[in-house]
Amino acid sequence: EYEPFIVQKGIPVKWIINVSENDLNGCNNPLTVPKYNIQKKLVPGENVIEFTPDEEGKIIYTCWMGMIRSNITVVSDLNNIAQQDYANSTDIQKDLFGGGSCSAGASNAFAGGKIPVEQLAIGNIKDGVQYVSIDINDYGFSPAVVVIQKGIPTEWVLNGEKLNSCNYRLQFPAYNSNIELREGENLIKFTPEKDFYFSCWMSMINGYVKVVDDIENIDLEEIRNEVVEFELPEDTGGCCG
């Protein structure tokens, strides 16, 4: 488990985590603080994380899988802490970061590895750069299918509308990479060459990027059918799966 603690708004925090070598394992390490885009690989001994809390409330922090969770309570004045602040600091706020397991989207449109194809996010090329965006929320990915042109430098905005323990980290197996999202706009820059899929870190919510030769000459229905027929690799699945 991770311990909760209380800090004061606007005051720089030097957070020291003392770790025994026997306590480290593949689940509790590394530690992440999504709000501040912090990921800390823990080592035996003293580990230091520094940040400045900029607003009152709860800051969730978790293991990299989002399964071990605790919180940091930010108050206006450490010298005037109500008893309720102490009590609340020991509660893991599930309403801030979802439950302990991954949900396959509020609409169930992503259940069973399905990728919704009703809506498509289509790239817009301007001055040699391609722009596209999707929203990430309790629904899942909206839209879940992105259509972009091959060989064009691309700026892809992942708009974190409502993040939880499943959708806050995305993985891109074709690029052997992942990204931790923050609320608001998260920008990825790349030049697409071939189709690929992406998913939440638990592989429960999936999306697809279709790379075409000419964005001005596409068959939307053909793309939808192709995505419907796409089969995820067999080794994808839920946590520990």
Side-chain angles (χ1 to χ4, degrees):
E1 65 180 27
Y2 297 144
E3 294 184 3
F5 58 94
I6 303 175
V7 296
Q8 184 169 313
K9 174 184 174 182
I11 304 297
V13 173
K14 186 174 184 178
W15 176 12
I16 300 173
I17 306 171
N18 291 304
V19 179
S20 167
E21 183 173 5
N22 293 333
D23 289 335
L24 292 178
N25 55 54
C27 184
N28 64 22
N29 192 24
L31 175 152
T32 69
V33 189
K35 179 176 176 61
Y36 291 105
N37 199 29
I38 293 171
Q39 177 167 299
K40 180 69 173 180
K41 180 70 174 179
L42 301 175
V43 297
E46 186 175 281
N47 299 263
V48 178
I49 297 175
E50 298 185 68
F51 68 98
T52 301
D54 54 10
E55 58 183 297
E56 296 177 45
K58 300 284 185 181
I59 301 172
I60 205 78
Y61 73 97
T62 79
C63 68
W64 66 275
M65 295 193 299
M67 305 303 287
I68 303 174
R69 293 177 292 164
S70 190
N71 63 79
I72 305 164
T73 301
V74 183
V75 298
S76 61
D77 185 359
L78 281 174
N79 295 316
N80 187 26
I81 301 175
Q83 187 63 36
Q84 188 63 32
D85 290 323
Y86 282 112
N88 288 344
S89 71
T90 63
D91 296 330
I92 296 178
Q93 302 296 308
K94 293 184 178 180
D95 59 329
L96 287 179
F97 212 55
S101 61
C102 182
S103 165
S107 70
N108 292 322
F110 296 84
K114 292 187 296 184
I115 300 175
V117 297
E118 290 78 11
Q119 295 181 319
L120 306 178
I122 300 175
N124 178 40
I125 300 174
K126 183 177 180 180
D127 297 329
V129 179
Q130 183 168 218
Y131 301 91
V132 70
S133 67
I134 65 172
D135 296 329
I136 300 171
N137 48 42
D138 280 346
Y139 169 82
F141 306 138
S142 181
V145 179
V146 175
V147 183
I148 50 181
Q149 185 167 317
K150 179 180 180 179
I152 303 294
T154 299
E155 295 192 5
W156 181 10
V157 172
L158 306 168
N159 182 32
E161 287 188 338
K162 189 171 184 181
L163 303 181
N164 55 48
S165 59
C166 181
N167 66 19
Y168 85 101
R169 181 196 290 267
L170 301 189
Q171 57 184 1
F172 304 86
Y175 290 90
N176 194 30
S177 63
N178 61 73
I179 181 175
E180 284 191 16
L181 302 177
R182 295 173 291 180
E183 290 186 359
E185 293 188 355
N186 300 264
L187 178 62
I188 297 177
K189 295 183 179 182
F190 71 111
T191 301
E193 294 297 333
K194 60 181 180 179
D195 301 353
F196 62 92
Y197 80 96
F198 60 100
S199 69
C200 69
W201 66 273
M202 298 176 77
S203 299
M204 300 295 287
I205 301 174
N206 298 282
Y208 194 84
V209 177
K210 176 63 182 176
V211 180
V212 299
D213 292 328
D214 183 2
I215 203 75
E216 300 296 332
N217 185 25
I218 56 177
D219 186 330
L220 298 182
E221 201 57 34
E222 182 179 330
I223 291 173
R224 289 188 174 97
N225 291 336
E226 182 178 337
V227 175
V228 168
E229 294 176 0
F230 172 73
E231 294 185 3
L232 294 168
E234 293 184 359
D235 60 349
T236 58
C239 177
C240 306

